[in-house]
Amino acid sequence: MLFDVNNLSSGDTAWVIMSAALVLFMTPGLALFYGGMVRAKHVLAMLMQNFFSMGLISILWVTVGYSLAFGGTGKWIGNFDFFGMKDVAKMYPADPSGVEWFSLFTIPPLIFMAYQMMFAVITPALITGAVADRMRFSAWVWFLGLWSILVYSPVAHWVFSPSGWLFEKGALDFAGGTVVHINAGIAALVLTVMLGKRKGWPQRPMPPHNLPLTMIGTGILWFGWFGFNAGSALVANGLAAQAFVNTNLAAAAAMLSWLAVERIKGGHATTLGAASGAVAGLVAITPCAGFVGGMAPVYIGLIAGVVCFFGISLKNKFGFDDSLDVIGVHLVGGIVGSMLLGLFSDKAINSVGADGTFFGGGATLLGKQAIAVVATLVFSGVMTFIIAKVLDIVIPGGLRVSEEDEESGLDLSQHAEVGYALQSQ
Amino acid sequence: MLFDVNNLSSGDTAWVIMSAALVLFMTPGLALFYGGMVRAKHVLAMLMQNFFSMGLISILWVTVGYSLAFGGTGKWIGNFDFFGMKDVAKMYPADPSGVEWFSLFTIPPLIFMAYQMMFAVITPALITGAVADRMRFSAWVWFLGLWSILVYSPVAHWVFSPSGWLFEKGALDFAGGTVVHINAGIAALVLTVMLGKRKGWPQRPMPPHNLPLTMIGTGILWFGWFGFNAGSALVANGLAAQAFVNTNLAAAAAMLSWLAVERIKGGHATTLGAASGAVAGLVAITPCAGFVGGMAPVYIGLIAGVVCFFGISLKNKFGFDDSLDVIGVHLVGGIVGSMLLGLFSDKAINSVGADGTFFGGGATLLGKQAIAVVATLVFSGVMTFIIAKVLDIVIPGGLRVSEEDEESGLDLSQHAEVGYALQSQ
Amino acid sequence: MLFDVNNLSSGDTAWVIMSAALVLFMTPGLALFYGGMVRAKHVLAMLMQNFFSMGLISILWVTVGYSLAFGGTGKWIGNFDFFGMKDVAKMYPADPSGVEWFSLFTIPPLIFMAYQMMFAVITPALITGAVADRMRFSAWVWFLGLWSILVYSPVAHWVFSPSGWLFEKGALDFAGGTVVHINAGIAALVLTVMLGKRKGWPQRPMPPHNLPLTMIGTGILWFGWFGFNAGSALVANGLAAQAFVNTNLAAAAAMLSWLAVERIKGGHATTLGAASGAVAGLVAITPCAGFVGGMAPVYIGLIAGVVCFFGISLKNKFGFDDSLDVIGVHLVGGIVGSMLLGLFSDKAINSVGADGTFFGGGATLLGKQAIAVVATLVFSGVMTFIIAKVLDIVIPGGLRVSEEDEESGLDLSQHAEVGYALQSQ
Amino acid sequence: MKLVVAIIKPFKLDDVKAAVQDLGVQGLTITEVQGYGRQRGHTEVYRGAEYTIDFVPKVKLEVLCEDGEATSIAEKIIDAARTGKIGDGKVWVVPVEGVWRIRTGEAGPDAL
Amino acid sequence: MKLVVAIIKPFKLDDVKAAVQDLGVQGLTITEVQGYGRQRGHTEVYRGAEYTIDFVPKVKLEVLCEDGEATSIAEKIIDAARTGKIGDGKVWVVPVEGVWRIRTGEAGPDAL
Amino acid sequence: MKLVVAIIKPFKLDDVKAAVQDLGVQGLTITEVQGYGRQRGHTEVYRGAEYTIDFVPKVKLEVLCEDGEATSIAEKIIDAARTGKIGDGKVWVVPVEGVWRIRTGEAGPDAL
Ligand SMILES: Nc1ncnc2c1ncn2[C@@H]1O[C@H](COP(=O)(O)OP(=O)(O)O)[C@@H](O)[C@H]1O
Ligand SMILES: Nc1ncnc2c1ncn2[C@@H]1O[C@H](COP(=O)(O)OP(=O)(O)O)[C@@H](O)[C@H]1O
Ligand SMILES: Nc1ncnc2c1ncn2[C@@H]1O[C@H](COP(=O)(O)OP(=O)(O)O)[C@@H](O)[C@H]1O
């Protein structure tokens, strides 16, 4: 699809460029969010795993990832049309016959590619919270690259490309409920089980070393998420405004419901609870952001806050050590959002969407959403397992660092650095 | 006022969406700004009080707050037309007869609502700096909600709605000198007096525990304030550019004048002084941002820096413990800005504004500004007192935590958390 | 050049206002990036030197700096046409006869001035990393102001004003390779040599006191750099998108190549290495951002990462104490980027650019780039020396603090503050 | 020579310092420590999971003094640091066999 | 009275605390310290330059106890803190000439 | 056995460590402390209000050694830590009644 400069809207372009910058900013935000929660001796390793994704995935994306996700009109995966930035500056991805999608775009194709790049960067970064404090850095490097190409690009194609089978089927995902959160969440679950528990967990308490750092991250994430969700409108109009409002309301509502449960159950509303609830709401609204309206985002947020709170206790029940609760927040929250969309979706908000159960659409959309969820769970779960298994064998020392390296801290053992030096030096 | 999609400007929309995101980002920024200044055992409580405003006020705003501020065409308060997001997506607020205001808008009404929401979120958050280290969290929760509905929405209606009595009267407030800063500042003063001093103040020094955190917050605040002031143009044009420039210059000038006074008086220009001066300048320029031009913002900033510096010493003179100087900076700075606007306002900059004393307008505008200032002081002051008094009686334990809870720190006593864990863990 | 409001594009304006905000945000980002790397007792002084630039330079810029850089149509320096904000709101800078440049602008002249202001703010701030931990604050204040007027404004005129001699000559610099990075880098080198080494360097290790702070800064810098580079298009179109993509790719590629060298040489890929590599890439792509396309930014980034890594070891070889490697990163990176542009520049990407060696342009552009580099090195180097020499004589105590003040820390000796208070207080 | 060591509640530091200064003590050294004792710790909550933190922040004071002063210093500290609530801390005295002032090399009582 | 002091690996703190609690120890004080010893430090890298950091994070425990308990407490700590790898740390015992509980003013063994 | 304790200026740490290593000392433990002494504190400014901070950052060294070595270690520290300016710190020696190496259980001089 040739890019016609006459169709360009400077307003839409301004908004999508800015949104791409906002989504990029989320990865440092995520790094800090996680980094504050680990113990001091692992803080840099956590930051590094996230920042490294900004480096590696950016390059892989323009080399092959974008092409595999958005090249051609295949059902299952893209092709190599955009390999190595070929034609990206002048061509949109192709629309399948009979569909008008990219041909309606008013932004330069380059910024569409870049905007999608930022999603590719942050998705695997979400996983780092689950494998915290014990994964070998070289194993992470390989996992990151392979997972991005073999898992992220195909799933992105299924859902975000108009020729992808889930897109065609009519499953909805405004900004990445399946592609980003369920995808990363199930990968986190598989990796968590394969890596095993952190030494000492759950006997020894492993409290966050620096919650203010986590709150800085929370602020950046909330801020950046406006680019993530409202930017996904790819135009600066009422739909973007709707997605913006929905994003804020779901985050707010989930914060409140999470804190309410905490208060009722444990007696204290915690700061980390406020942050966790907000992120749970942001996750859940992600697939819904441009398809729901009115007070629906509030309800979605309220539900997500409660369900994710209980989702987090799964790890204690089943005994897997999801260090920073990627599963409880992203996997559970992603599923909650994707399924609630089947109820709350409203064509009056977005004509290219569908009506959910509460708007007269029956269970049709719900069914499609379930298919998308299950497909993502199965594909990503299996692929993650295979990649990790192979790497565990191939990488010298395996996926996990030695006991001693874990004890002395990943910062020192993986990066020959420490987060904080003596104050008095 | 029905929203006509043909009037939509994608450029203006892009700018206002982005501005709304920037203003949202200011609340975490404020949290960090304040959080770095308290002692380590209170840091999370400070962060929490601010982040919680993002949760609670967002929800209250779409439920009733927006409607009370912008519904209908009453003089004193809005109505319930927009209750629970009703019609917000398709309707602007109504213009009073004979006035064209909302009908000239080029942005979706949803984003106007969202932009205003962010102001509603941050305004009460400003108060947290005054009540730091001793307010019970449950009391804060109730105060926050009640104050937003009973104080913020009415004052916002008076000043920002074209049917509000202060708007009609011709009092000017570009981005919230009265609505935001004086409003929060006087509430801070009342609460400070009612809560009493922190234990040990002023005998024991209570130095900031982490000034780099405060400087992170300062950076975010300065950055976000461009959305606050330049976004208030609600279009992306020369007026927004003027407000942008004014914002930056006032912050810069006030930093310089604050530091100059420090240097002359105490011998040292301090980092916290640079931050405080900048914020004082930002506060003072807020009402003026879209009404003044040329070097006026520099003069306004220079004056604000000096006056607020001395404003801060009031607390020592009068012996009230305004922990983080909300009164000295926001109340004093807000009054300085609102009154200086009466001098520096220039119709050549903004035709819907008015000429101040220095531009041939005599004392007319000055008088109107004085009325707006006094009205806000009286209304907000009295209402704050009533709300706080009632809560002090109703809330188990009262507004203030027990001595022991204060000593062990609000983080532990209110939230069962600590900011920083042992390094070596 | 009178500003005609009919030419205004709200989309372009939205983007440039936002870009100006992003560039402003880079200075706090830089402060944190540097601040985390110094020892705890110097952290506030580092933050202060940077924040102070936001104060002083903003005011100097609207007073004289902008006018000296963009007033009139002189070859070597501007004039006083825009002194004290005169006419800035209604006039663009003048185009030299026969050239159409400012007359094509679609944004308000005020925001052009403000956007340029942010560059003027951050450029001298870059120098602070080289003089860390030993420069007297009052000396910095004077140096900052004089350097901005006597060095920054002229060089900006040469390169960014269409009447400047380097602009005329056809030397290219999209967003400040010469004006910003080489300019600040050579000043850093001169100052470093004049100030001498930090006490104890290189015998005593001086490890970063808080690398998470540095990583916060890195995230903000990367985010803000999109405004720096893509904003320099001054329109929201495909060129801005191209600059955006190039910026991200060069940062990513340089992170990878820096880490690869580290791994090969020293055995460990470090977190600070990831940050340093990314910044090196961002520096190198700055002059190229709007002139190259395809995979060129990746190659530029890869080269910059390697060259800057080795650039850093220069200080050990030559024994000058460039505390935080401003020379290795900004001077070397700036030269790398400016010269590589002579190879990779492609008129197909930007018609007002030129073809570099790899695109059939021979060595012509390369020669022009070399002239621009050398001219900046010589002028800035000599002027910096003169300014610093005079100040060293004039300022009581000289440029450098006393040994005792250095030992007890600049925070205490220069600002009567400490970064972190006792935790238990 | 003796070393008087005290573990106190952090917010009592200023009072205690003032008190020993009154006795003519010219120097002391403090350390931020964590105490465990009868004043049990507290429950912290981390994402829905509760755990007990046994340690409470305390400040440790060390005062070198002449033999005869140890008891009066200890008593003065006890007075100044007391709140009467559990967790007020301990004071103890350790024998010291030699003291030097680094600056001058002076030894014994002159080094204090 | 004695003061048993131990330098241990930080991650052994919980085990050691549990162990001495078993002996009836009712209180102790810990400090975050940095140790240098046979467990040489490690190399850190700072922008391409390597330097050796000799100090490793350790935790210091201090337990006041009656004369007769010192050895058993020391032994218990040694057992609980041992990993068998270099850097496990030291335990030592210092004589104490007087102990007071600040809250009550009680002295001697009652103060523990 | 003895414990040599020293309070020194933080930037002297490397020199002091090197000095005692020269004497064959194989291990030591340091703590970041805050000192109050003749080297009065300094004035800090907080939003226009000045207040005096009495405490200055110092580093505390602890070195276990055999009885005979204590004085020479103390002297070596004094030499290495001296700047001649006020606030250089103190060194003192405390008797130790038993030392163990946790890793091996060795006791006495062998444990050092
Ligand atoms: N046996 C002990 N050895 C060393 N320190 C102790 C001991 N017992 C108590 N402490 C210290 O004294 C502090 C207060 O003791 P605690 O038993 O809580 O209260 P109280 O002294 O009022 O009985 C503890 O937090 C700990 O730091
Ligand atoms: N002579 C000493 N004086 C004080 N502390 C010591 C001494 N020797 C060792 N330590 C402390 O004990 C820790 C462990 O000692 P090290 O020699 O590394 O291992 P090990 O005790 O297993 O032989 C050191 O990190 C240090 O804190
Ligand atoms: N009586 C004391 N007990 C414990 N520590 C002390 C004592 N006197 C001084 N110190 C420590 O020694 C440091 C230096 O002492 P100071 O009196 O300032 O200088 P000088 O030792 O040069 O006379 C202090 O900061 C404090 O840590």
Side-chain angles (χ1 to χ4, degrees), chain A residues 317-336:
Chain A
K317 207 158 287 165
F318 293 103
F320 55 85
D321 178 17
D322 175 15
S323 322
L324 311 180
D325 299 307
V326 180
I327 298 158
V329 173
H330 294 274
L331 180 56
V332 172
I335 295 176
V336 165

Short mmCIF file of all heavy atoms in Angstrom, two decimals, chain A residues 317-336:
data_model
loop_
_atom_site.label_atom_id
_atom_site.label_comp_id
_atom_site.label_asym_id
_atom_site.label_seq_id
_atom_site.Cartn_x
_atom_site.Cartn_y
_atom_site.Cartn_z
N LYS A 317 -0.69 -20.47 46.37
CA LYS A 317 -1.46 -21.71 46.36
C LYS A 317 -0.71 -22.78 45.58
O LYS A 317 -0.55 -23.91 46.03
CB LYS A 317 -2.82 -21.44 45.74
CG LYS A 317 -3.90 -22.38 46.23
CD LYS A 317 -5.30 -21.77 46.02
CE LYS A 317 -5.58 -20.64 47.00
NZ LYS A 317 -6.74 -19.81 46.64
N PHE A 318 -0.23 -22.43 44.41
CA PHE A 318 0.39 -23.43 43.55
C PHE A 318 1.89 -23.53 43.75
O PHE A 318 2.54 -24.40 43.19
CB PHE A 318 0.07 -23.16 42.08
CG PHE A 318 -1.39 -23.34 41.77
CD1 PHE A 318 -2.23 -22.25 41.62
CD2 PHE A 318 -1.93 -24.62 41.65
CE1 PHE A 318 -3.58 -22.42 41.35
CE2 PHE A 318 -3.28 -24.80 41.37
CZ PHE A 318 -4.11 -23.69 41.22
N GLY A 319 2.43 -22.61 44.50
CA GLY A 319 3.84 -22.74 44.84
C GLY A 319 4.83 -22.41 43.75
O GLY A 319 5.97 -22.86 43.78
N PHE A 320 4.42 -21.62 42.74
CA PHE A 320 5.42 -21.17 41.79
C PHE A 320 5.80 -19.74 42.16
O PHE A 320 4.99 -18.99 42.69
CB PHE A 320 4.93 -21.26 40.34
CG PHE A 320 3.65 -20.53 40.07
CD1 PHE A 320 3.65 -19.18 39.78
CD2 PHE A 320 2.43 -21.20 40.12
CE1 PHE A 320 2.47 -18.51 39.53
CE2 PHE A 320 1.23 -20.53 39.88
CZ PHE A 320 1.25 -19.19 39.59
N ASP A 321 7.06 -19.41 41.91
CA ASP A 321 7.58 -18.15 42.42
C ASP A 321 7.58 -17.08 41.32
O ASP A 321 8.61 -16.80 40.70
CB ASP A 321 8.99 -18.38 42.98
CG ASP A 321 9.60 -17.08 43.48
OD1 ASP A 321 8.86 -16.10 43.70
OD2 ASP A 321 10.83 -17.04 43.64
N ASP A 322 6.42 -16.51 41.11
CA ASP A 322 6.29 -15.41 40.14
C ASP A 322 6.73 -14.14 40.87
O ASP A 322 5.92 -13.38 41.40
CB ASP A 322 4.83 -15.33 39.71
CG ASP A 322 4.56 -14.15 38.80
OD1 ASP A 322 5.53 -13.58 38.28
OD2 ASP A 322 3.38 -13.81 38.62
N SER A 323 8.04 -13.91 40.85
CA SER A 323 8.64 -12.95 41.78
C SER A 323 7.84 -11.66 41.93
O SER A 323 7.53 -11.22 43.02
CB SER A 323 10.07 -12.61 41.36
OG SER A 323 10.73 -13.75 40.88
N LEU A 324 7.54 -11.00 40.81
CA LEU A 324 6.90 -9.70 40.92
C LEU A 324 5.49 -9.72 40.35
O LEU A 324 4.95 -8.70 39.93
CB LEU A 324 7.77 -8.63 40.25
CG LEU A 324 9.25 -8.64 40.65
CD1 LEU A 324 10.00 -7.54 39.92
CD2 LEU A 324 9.43 -8.50 42.15
N ASP A 325 4.90 -10.91 40.30
CA ASP A 325 3.47 -11.04 39.99
C ASP A 325 3.09 -10.64 38.57
O ASP A 325 2.08 -9.97 38.34
CB ASP A 325 2.65 -10.25 41.01
CG ASP A 325 2.87 -10.81 42.41
OD1 ASP A 325 2.71 -12.02 42.59
OD2 ASP A 325 3.25 -10.04 43.30
N VAL A 326 3.87 -11.08 37.64
CA VAL A 326 3.54 -10.84 36.24
C VAL A 326 2.29 -11.64 35.86
O VAL A 326 1.45 -11.18 35.09
CB VAL A 326 4.72 -11.25 35.33
CG1 VAL A 326 4.39 -11.00 33.88
CG2 VAL A 326 5.97 -10.48 35.74
N ILE A 327 2.20 -12.82 36.42
CA ILE A 327 1.06 -13.68 36.09
C ILE A 327 -0.22 -13.11 36.68
O ILE A 327 -1.22 -12.93 36.00
CB ILE A 327 1.34 -15.11 36.61
CG1 ILE A 327 2.57 -15.65 35.89
CG2 ILE A 327 0.13 -16.00 36.40
CD1 ILE A 327 3.26 -16.77 36.63
N GLY A 328 -0.14 -12.79 37.97
CA GLY A 328 -1.33 -12.25 38.64
C GLY A 328 -1.81 -10.96 37.99
O GLY A 328 -3.02 -10.72 37.89
N VAL A 329 -0.89 -10.14 37.53
CA VAL A 329 -1.31 -8.85 36.98
C VAL A 329 -1.51 -8.92 35.46
O VAL A 329 -2.57 -8.56 34.96
CB VAL A 329 -0.30 -7.73 37.34
CG1 VAL A 329 -0.66 -6.44 36.63
CG2 VAL A 329 -0.29 -7.52 38.85
N HIS A 330 -0.52 -9.41 34.73
CA HIS A 330 -0.62 -9.31 33.27
C HIS A 330 -1.40 -10.46 32.64
O HIS A 330 -2.20 -10.24 31.74
CB HIS A 330 0.77 -9.16 32.65
CG HIS A 330 1.41 -7.88 33.03
ND1 HIS A 330 1.20 -6.70 32.36
CD2 HIS A 330 2.21 -7.54 34.08
CE1 HIS A 330 1.84 -5.72 32.95
NE2 HIS A 330 2.47 -6.20 34.00
N LEU A 331 -1.13 -11.67 33.11
CA LEU A 331 -1.86 -12.80 32.53
C LEU A 331 -3.33 -12.73 32.94
O LEU A 331 -4.24 -12.70 32.10
CB LEU A 331 -1.23 -14.13 32.96
CG LEU A 331 -1.90 -15.38 32.41
CD1 LEU A 331 -1.97 -15.35 30.90
CD2 LEU A 331 -1.16 -16.63 32.87
N VAL A 332 -3.55 -12.66 34.23
CA VAL A 332 -4.92 -12.61 34.72
C VAL A 332 -5.62 -11.33 34.22
O VAL A 332 -6.74 -11.38 33.70
CB VAL A 332 -4.95 -12.69 36.27
CG1 VAL A 332 -6.36 -12.45 36.80
CG2 VAL A 332 -4.43 -14.05 36.72
N GLY A 333 -4.93 -10.20 34.36
CA GLY A 333 -5.54 -8.93 33.94
C GLY A 333 -5.83 -8.91 32.44
O GLY A 333 -6.85 -8.38 32.00
N GLY A 334 -4.94 -9.50 31.66
CA GLY A 334 -5.14 -9.55 30.21
C GLY A 334 -6.36 -10.40 29.85
O GLY A 334 -7.14 -10.03 28.98
N ILE A 335 -6.51 -11.50 30.54
CA ILE A 335 -7.66 -12.37 30.28
C ILE A 335 -8.95 -11.67 30.72
O ILE A 335 -9.95 -11.66 30.00
CB ILE A 335 -7.49 -13.73 31.00
CG1 ILE A 335 -6.29 -14.49 30.40
CG2 ILE A 335 -8.77 -14.55 30.88
CD1 ILE A 335 -5.96 -15.80 31.09
N VAL A 336 -8.91 -11.08 31.90
CA VAL A 336 -10.08 -10.35 32.39
C VAL A 336 -10.52 -9.30 31.37
O VAL A 336 -11.69 -9.21 30.99
CB VAL A 336 -9.77 -9.67 33.74
CG1 VAL A 336 -10.83 -8.63 34.10
CG2 VAL A 336 -9.65 -10.71 34.84
#
